[in-house]
Amino acid sequence: MKFRYKERSPDNSMMESFFGILKSEMFYGYENTFKSLNQLEQAVVDYIDYYNNKRIKEKLKGLSPVQYRTKSFGYPICLTFLGSVQSGC
């Protein structure tokens, strides 16, 4: 079966949702606080760390994504910028 890009758009729904949350929680309303591209980049890296390791979600039973995965898989992992995984964090 061949897929055209238009038909694969649901594949991107999780990332679209994440970027929507990122923009609403750490960018909109704060645009003028970033004095350089490097500051904005560091803020995004910090937010991704917060989102993966500290931000609780009701859908994940009040746990962060990393806490939920740790509980599910039985060993600690940390998700970092660009999705790399560190064990034992």
Side-chain angles (χ1 to χ4, degrees), residues 48-59:
I48 291 171
D49 178 63
Y50 161 76
Y51 185 90
N52 285 325
N53 297 296
K54 298 174 185 96
R55 184 179 185 269
I56 61 170
K57 298 184 71 160
E58 287 183 38
K59 190 166 75 172

Side-chain angles (χ1 to χ4, degrees), residues 2-44:
K2 287 188 175 183
F3 290 101
R4 286 176 277 145
Y5 180 78
K6 203 178 207 180
E7 295 171 14
R8 292 189 322 203
S9 61
D11 295 341
N12 294 326
S13 64
M14 287 193 315
M15 288 309 299
E16 293 291 332
S17 175
F18 168 76
F19 283 118
I21 293 168
L22 179 141
K23 289 187 283 188
S24 68
E25 289 187 357
M26 65 92 27
F27 185 71
Y28 293 141
Y30 302 100
E31 299 94 335
N32 296 328
T33 62
F34 305 112
K35 304 296 181 204
S36 70
L37 189 55
N38 287 338
Q39 270 188 338
L40 175 60
E41 182 179 354
Q42 186 59 51
V44 170

